[in-house]
Amino acid sequence: MDIIYNLQRWKLLGEIAVEILQYLDVNDLHAAENVSPVWKETVINGKLWEKLFKRNVVLHPPWKKMNSIIRKQQSHSEIALVVEEEDNEQVLWNEQEVFRTTCLTIADSLDILDKNWMTGNYQEEIVLRGAVIGPVNSITFLMDEKHIVRHVDSERTFQFFNRWSLDLEESIPSRTDSSGNQHHHCFVTCFDFSDELLVVGYGNGVVDVIWRKTRETLHTFRDFDWPNNHSVDEDDQDNYVTEKVIFSPKRHFLLSYLYTTTSYFLTLRKISDVKDMIIAHQLQLDENVEELVNLYMDDLYTVLFIRSRTGRGPSEEIFEIRSTESFTPLHSFSVQGVVSAYHYLDGLLVIGTQVSNSQFLRVWNTKTGNSIWDVNLDKEKIVDLRIISDKYIVSVNGTGELKQWDLHTVLDHAVPADKALLHRIGSTDNLSSCVGGGMVADEYQVVLFGFFRTTPIKGHESPIIVSLDFMKGQNHVKKPLPQLY
């Protein structure tokens, strides 16, 4: 007996048919509408594709993020609904077809993405190559869902490349002095960006917040203007540098830190509006801090990587965890050996360290300060690390080879540490030619930046940016490099 058909025959019971079908997932709903014209009519009239889309975007973060990625790939800000037809029924069918297509595209893309990661499939593309692109490093190079952004010091501009088409879409000049020439202290030291803003730190301790749409400078912060006994001499510009600026993931906070010859100063600003950024906290690090190497921040925690003086022997390398909201310290832990790379995401900290002549990869729980996993890499030096979503860890060594580790296996104490390795990625001639550098990455792409050698002689290197696209996953090189030597 076809229960949906029988319910639809009784118009008053049609809502019951919709109630039954609305709990289906994408594949089952797709199958259900192909059972018969009556079933498809029930799906369309009940707006079940629209309900499924809205439900999944709210309840399932991967759906929400993939929907955002697909929109950015297609340069659409919103779903294009057809509303110009005079026939109301046709309007409904057109609208639901858009939701249907969107749901199937998202589900298919997520499935392909997951399979490509599990099998090590990707499409390799050369984003930029050669001396014309200037230096490439973690200071000059960032990425978000839509753009790869780099600062070109020689041209004093920020270049925004569409990460999916690799087209140059936007250029924003960096600060110059009143005569139009870049001041010898006014060099870019760091930057971060969002869909609306570009925030830039300079070698004179100044931080600019720029509205990308109009290129207007909304704020100019001088983090050396501290109250009371924390003030520093503004005229002595050689003594302080803005080392890092960083937005929190939800853009609720902006954190910057200033380096002077004697100390480090951190300033946390709360963002209530792009034109309203007020200082929430300021902190001067302890005099025993030899170097604030780096920091990460999300909306819950701020992680400081500190090299501290011990008074005897080598410096101690410490990770300090603070609450982002209150800036109060929660706990800290020291790391044995020399840290070569590290990354923080959602309460987990992955660290590459050298102890004696051996290299180790370790994962720490920042909420407890406990080490929960480590593996001996022998003499393979890790130059950069990334935690990818909640699924993988990707490491890259000095020869451009990547390793992909399964994060769920890492967190399973019952599984031997070396069993977490899934794949070795990037053994092509292009990537094995890379030396040094690092990477930015998310679950869609891994983008490497570094240098390739044009001759076998050390010192003859040119900058390179290489993208490994797991959304495409054809495992071939779209724009191969020529034979280098």
Side-chain angles (χ1 to χ4, degrees), residues 200-214:
V200 187
Y202 294 94
N204 57 5
V206 169
V207 175
D208 283 341
V209 180
I210 301 167
W211 182 256
R212 285 176 53 188
K213 185 176 182 180
T214 64

Side-chain angles (χ1 to χ4, degrees), residues 59-312:
L59 298 180
H60 302 294
W63 262 71
K64 181 177 180 179
K65 195 165 184 180
M66 181 60 77
N67 179 55
S68 176
I69 289 293
I70 290 172
R71 287 184 178 189
K72 287 179 169 63
Q73 284 180 312
Q74 299 173 343
S75 299
H76 290 166
S77 58
E78 296 189 16
I79 294 177
L81 298 179
V82 179
V83 294
E84 298 179 356
E85 303 285 346
E86 295 182 359
D87 186 344
N88 290 334
E89 183 176 349
Q90 187 61 45
V91 170
L92 174 64
W93 278 68
N94 287 339
E95 289 177 348
Q96 295 310 302
E97 181 60 28
V98 171
F99 283 110
R100 174 183 179 276
T101 301
T102 302
C103 287
L104 292 174
T105 300
I106 292 173
D108 188 51
S109 298
L110 287 171
D111 184 56
I112 291 172
L113 186 66
D114 189 53
K115 288 179 179 177
N116 284 341
W117 274 103
M118 291 304 296
T119 58
N121 267 331
Y122 57 87
Q123 178 172 292
E124 181 181 328
E125 301 181 57
I126 308 304
V127 182
L128 288 171
R129 172 174 56 86
V132 294
I133 69 171
V136 182
N137 53 50
S138 57
I139 296 175
T140 64
F141 182 67
L142 292 173
M143 181 174 75
D144 72 355
E145 288 183 358
K146 185 173 183 179
H147 288 109
I148 296 171
V149 183
R150 61 181 298 269
H151 180 255
V152 185
D153 191 57
S154 60
E155 299 178 14
R156 302 167 192 166
T157 60
F158 292 92
Q159 296 179 338
F160 289 73
F161 292 88
N162 185 305
R163 64 181 280 190
W164 309 108
S165 68
L166 305 183
D167 294 329
L168 179 62
E169 292 187 337
E170 183 180 357
S171 293
I172 298 177
S174 56
R175 170 185 282 263
T176 58
D177 68 12
S178 58
S179 64
N181 298 315
Q182 192 176 33
H183 191 281
H184 69 285
H185 291 300
C186 200
F187 53 88
V188 172
T189 56
C190 53
F191 74 96
D192 200 1
F193 70 101
S194 67
D195 287 342
E196 298 177 322
L197 301 175
L198 171 68
V199 57
V200 187
Y202 294 94
N204 57 5
V206 169
V207 175
D208 283 341
V209 180
I210 301 167
W211 182 256
R212 285 176 53 188
K213 185 176 182 180
T214 64
R215 301 185 182 181
E216 173 191 1
T217 299
L218 300 177
H219 306 278
T220 295
F221 300 126
R222 301 177 182 273
D223 285 349
F224 43 78
D225 291 340
W226 275 56
N228 303 324
N229 62 328
H230 292 301
S231 63
V232 291
D233 186 358
E234 181 175 346
D235 295 327
D236 189 12
Q237 294 194 7
D238 285 326
N239 291 338
Y240 46 81
V241 176
T242 303
E243 292 279 351
K244 187 157 188 175
V245 290
I246 181 172
F247 285 117
S248 63
K250 294 181 180 179
R251 310 307 187 222
H252 293 163
F253 299 99
L254 172 63
L255 179 61
S256 58
Y257 78 81
L258 181 78
Y259 168 71
T260 73
T261 54
T262 58
S263 189
Y264 289 90
F265 297 84
L266 280 75
T267 302
L268 182 73
R269 290 179 169 86
K270 192 166 186 177
I271 304 172
S272 55
D273 182 80
V274 294
K275 295 187 177 181
D276 186 14
M277 300 184 183
I278 59 173
I279 294 177
H281 302 285
Q282 289 184 303
L283 172 70
Q284 181 177 8
L285 295 185
D286 187 89
E287 61 182 8
N288 289 326
V289 173
E290 178 181 321
E291 182 181 4
L292 176 56
V293 182
N294 207 342
L295 58 83
Y296 290 95
M297 176 179 66
D298 60 23
D299 293 286
L300 294 177
Y301 302 106
T302 298
V303 180
L304 309 180
F305 175 27
I306 296 169
R307 191 166 285 127
S308 182
R309 301 180 182 93
T310 61
R312 59 187 185 283

Side-chain angles (χ1 to χ4, degrees), residues 26-44:
V26 174
N27 293 331
D28 290 337
L29 187 60
H30 189 207
E33 70 173 4
N34 290 321
V35 169
S36 71
V38 172
W39 282 58
K40 184 162 187 174
E41 182 181 347
T42 303
V43 170
I44 297 299

Side-chain angles (χ1 to χ4, degrees), residues 371-403:
S371 175
I372 57 178
W373 179 81
D374 70 272
V375 63
N376 190 335
L377 301 176
D378 195 20
K379 299 188 178 189
E380 177 189 355
K381 183 177 180 180
I382 300 298
V383 298
D384 212 345
L385 291 164
R386 285 295 182 274
I387 301 172
I388 306 296
S389 187
D390 61 346
K391 296 181 179 181
Y392 309 108
I393 296 171
V394 174
S395 63
V396 59
N397 62 26
T399 63
E401 181 186 56
L402 283 82
K403 288 184 177 178

